[in-house]
């Protein structure tokens, strides 16, 4: 399907109309909170699953908010006379936000989804028709240049990004502009790029309708639009990471073989980051026969960067192919065509000896250390979003541990991190537990098994005594040689610090 099937977009050069439209939307409580109150939790949640029937049932009245939900979120024509009481309808028609539908109705030309910013801001994410509700949820047929709204991946990336004030931020593959919108809160200058010029236009609309500063918009793939001497304090990207046989859909298919797009993106980032700068990516990667996925990912990390790579999910090649065939609506196509496309995916994986595909996030931080740290882990368990502060703290701990050998750790003072609980597991009535687990209730929500010395050590860490003195006291209490205890415990202390259970005082 070609771009000719896509609707003309509203003008991005009419800030007066956009400001009036924003004021009208806010005046009618067309916000994230207003939607939740109007629709109720079940219907609101159904929208994220691309199910609109509950929301349609909840908006059968004639209030301004119900009218706007049907118009901009559910793409239903509404009476011209009625909408004229709510919106600057003539200006919206003239600038392209609305079009006439029949003799006495108007329809929206784009999806507009209310979105609550992290500081309580009322934002609006613009996207192509049928693509705001549910994000990449497989709504209908997809035109090649379609621009999606907010999906789970977008919100995951926004949540794990470190949000410290920076001078310059770069959003690679901006899409509907949600990452640029978040970056505008804490970056003096935001640059947004995309291979799809339609996405850049929609990003401009998203920023303007949300009342955010404009970004510098550049057309091109990956780092192509960026000058050789340009560097940034923050780089974020939710790239077209789908590993597919071809590049049918711009918003998801990278057009390179296998996971080469994600690899190239990560490898080219090191020279674009300022010292101490962060880069955050969502990515897919291949699990190849005879190769450890962690070795594959470690080879992507550019020189001079610390990295934290988290694999959140793994799918075998059949699950993966079915997921993205459904995303494109291919499961609704002719059975023979569907089978042919399914075969093409499996042929591609077989040629590359791919047995599964991993999904997760990659965070880089530019470091001046001679020995960068690379952490790879599989973590399919629930986490607490937003995770940005947890990510920043991880790299702070990397710096701390890199600067402290075992002797320095024993001289240091620590405190137990907040909301850590201890669980003891053993047979009922047993004098001692079989093992002790420390569990976090924040951030990554990790759990780690410790011995009785480790549990006792963590329990008394309040910053008043050095680690060595605490171990000496424990040695006396349990009748163990204090020198031997000092020799064997730093590795456990280092692990508890690395995973965020203990914090340097």
């Amino acid at each position: 399907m070609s771009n000719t099937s896509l609707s003309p977009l509203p003008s991005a050069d009419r800030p007066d109309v956009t400001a009036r439209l924003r004021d009208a939307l806010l005046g009618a409580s067309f916000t994230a909170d207003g939607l939740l109150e109007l629709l109720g939790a079940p219907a609101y949640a159904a929208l994220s699953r691309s199910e609109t029937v509950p929301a349609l049932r909840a908006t059968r009245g004639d209030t301004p908010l119900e009218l706007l939900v049907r118009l901009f979120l559910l793409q239903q024509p509404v009476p011209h006379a009625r909408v004229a009481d709510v919106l600057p309808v003539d200006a919206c028609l003239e600038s392209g936000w609305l079009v006439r539908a029949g003799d006495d109705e108007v329809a929206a030309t784009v999806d507009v989804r209310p979105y609550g910013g992290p500081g309580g801001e009322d934002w609006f994410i613009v996207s192509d028709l049928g693509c705001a509700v549910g994000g990449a949820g497989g709504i209908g047929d997809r035109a090649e240049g379609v621009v999606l709204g907010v999906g789970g991946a977008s919100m995951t990336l926004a949540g794990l990004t470190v949000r410290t004030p920076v001078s310059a931020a770069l959003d690679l593959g901006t899409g509907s502009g949600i990452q640029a919108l978040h970056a505008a809160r804490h970056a003096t200058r935001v640059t947004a790029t995309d291979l799809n010029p339609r996405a850049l236009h929609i990003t401009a609309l998203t920023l303007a309708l949300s009342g955010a500063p404009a970004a510098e918009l550049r057309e091109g793939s990956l780092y192509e639009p960026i000058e050789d001497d340009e560097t940034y304090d923050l780089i974020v990207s939710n790239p077209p990471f789908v590993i597919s046989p071809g590049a049918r859909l711009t918003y998801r298919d990278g057009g390179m073989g296998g996971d080469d797009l994600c690899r190239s993106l990560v490898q080219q980032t090191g020279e674009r980051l300022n010292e101490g700068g962060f880069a955050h990516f969502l990515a897919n990667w291949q699990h190849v026969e005879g190769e450890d996925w962690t070795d594959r990912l470690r080879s992507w990390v550019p020189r001079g960067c610390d990295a934290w790579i988290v694999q959140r999910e793994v799918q075998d090649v059949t699950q993966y192919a079915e997921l993205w065939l459904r995303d494109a609506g291919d499961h609704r196509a002719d059975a023979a065509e569907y089978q042919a496309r399914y075969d093409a995916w499996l042929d591609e994986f077989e040629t590359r000896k791919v047995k599964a595909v991993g999904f997760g996030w990659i965070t880089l931080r530019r470091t001046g250390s001679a020995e960068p740290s690379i952490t790879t882990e599989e973590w399919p368990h629930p986490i607490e979003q937003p995770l940005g502060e947890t990510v920043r703290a991880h790299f702070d701990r990397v710096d701390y541990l890199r600067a402290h050998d075992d002797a320095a750790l024993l001289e240091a003072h620590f405190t137990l991190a907040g909301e850590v609980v201890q669980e003891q597991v053993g047979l009922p009535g047993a004098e001692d537990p079989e093992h002790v687990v420390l569990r976090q209730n924040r951030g990554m929500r990790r759990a780690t098994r410790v011995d009785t010395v480790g549990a006792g050590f963590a329990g008394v860490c309040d910053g008043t005594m050095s680690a060595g003195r605490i171990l000496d006291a424990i040695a006396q209490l349990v009748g163990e040689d204090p020198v031997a205890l000092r020799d064997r415990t730093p590795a456990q202390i280092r692990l508890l610090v690395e995973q965020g259970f203990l914090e340097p005082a």
Side-chain angles (χ1 to χ4, degrees), residues 23-24 56 83 143 198 203 218-219 223 250 259 264 269 294 300 334 343 351 369 378 382 389 396 439 442 457 468 473:
D23 288 343
L56 286 168
V83 81
R198 187 176 182 87
T203 290
R218 302 187 192 178
E219 183 180 344
Y223 287 106
T250 304
D259 51 16
S264 297
T269 294
T294 62
W300 292 7
D334 174 77
D343 267 334
T351 299
S369 173
E378 186 161 10
E389 181 58 26
D396 286 348
R439 187 178 300 278
R442 303 298 303 273
F457 178 88

Side-chain angles (χ1 to χ4, degrees), residues 324-405:
W324 294 110
L325 287 167
R326 287 195 302 271
D327 171 82
D330 291 331
H331 60 304
R332 304 189 187 101
D334 174 77
E337 183 179 353
Y338 174 77
Q339 182 175 341
R341 286 181 171 166
Y342 200 149
D343 267 334
W345 284 74
L346 297 186
D347 285 344
E348 176 82 3
F349 288 133
E350 184 176 334
T351 299
R352 296 180 176 274
K353 298 183 178 180
V354 176
K355 58 184 180 180
V357 177
F359 169 81
W361 66 69
I362 299 171
T363 299
L364 304 178
R365 185 192 58 168
R366 187 76 184 179
T367 177
S369 173
E371 297 183 7
S373 165
I374 301 177
T375 301
T376 58
E377 63 177 316
E378 186 161 10
W379 192 256
H381 313 294
I383 60 171
E384 180 192 44
Q385 284 275 36
L387 204 65
E389 181 58 26
T390 299
V391 174
R392 185 200 60 76
H394 166 86
F395 287 93
D396 286 348
R397 294 193 299 271
V398 166
D399 284 342
Y400 178 87
L401 292 172
R402 192 156 42 201
H404 289 74
D405 60 16

Side-chain angles (χ1 to χ4, degrees), residues 194-214:
D194 205 289
L195 182 64
N196 183 2
R198 187 176 182 87
L200 297 176
H201 190 128
I202 284 180
T203 290
L205 297 175
T206 289
L207 293 171
L209 194 59
S210 298

Side-chain angles (χ1 to χ4, degrees), residues 11 94 104 148 189 196 234 239 295 305 342 355 388 435 450-451 458 474 476 490:
S11 171
E94 188 269 333
D104 57 357
L148 299 187
R189 176 172 61 90
N196 183 2
L234 174 67
D295 292 337
C305 288
Y342 200 149
K355 58 184 180 180
H435 61 263
V450 294
D451 59 21
I474 292 175
Q476 184 175 6

